[in-house]
Amino acid sequence: MEAAQKRLDENPQAMRVRRETVEHPFGTLKMRMGATHFLMKRLPKVATEMALSVLAYNLTRVLNIIGVKPLIAAMGA
């Protein structure tokens, strides 16, 4: 913990960069899932539910970045 604090003291912008890159996707996933709990029970089913949520998030990002036609073209290749 002391090593992590030392790195943060040396680079105070590190937390800002982390917030900008990492926490946004998790916030979006929580919002889409209802920000409450998983619908399934047991680890394999929860892992599948999480994987599907991440896949949906990633597809949405790709659609927003490159558009529908290039995505369909890439999937057909």
Side-chain angles (χ1 to χ4, degrees):
M1 203 151 156
E2 291 172 7
Q5 186 62 47
K6 181 181 174 193
R7 284 193 309 271
L8 187 58
D9 291 340
E10 291 171 359
N11 186 8
Q13 292 293 332
M15 281 304 290
R16 182 178 180 152
V17 172
R18 178 174 182 247
R19 273 189 227 106
E20 291 173 355
T21 58
V22 175
E23 293 183 12
H24 179 333
F26 286 110
T28 303
L29 285 170
K30 282 176 66 176
M31 179 190 66
R32 288 182 182 177
M33 292 175 66
T36 55
H37 57 278
F38 289 98
L39 299 174
M40 306 300 285
K41 294 189 186 311
R42 305 275 183 197
L43 185 57
K45 292 180 181 180
V46 169
T48 302
E49 185 179 350
M50 187 65 192
L52 288 172
S53 295
V54 170
L55 177 63
Y57 174 81
N58 287 335
L59 282 174
T60 303
R61 292 280 296 144
V62 169
L63 284 171
N64 288 333
I65 293 170
I66 68 169
V68 176
K69 289 183 181 180
L71 176 63
I72 291 173
M75 290 172 61

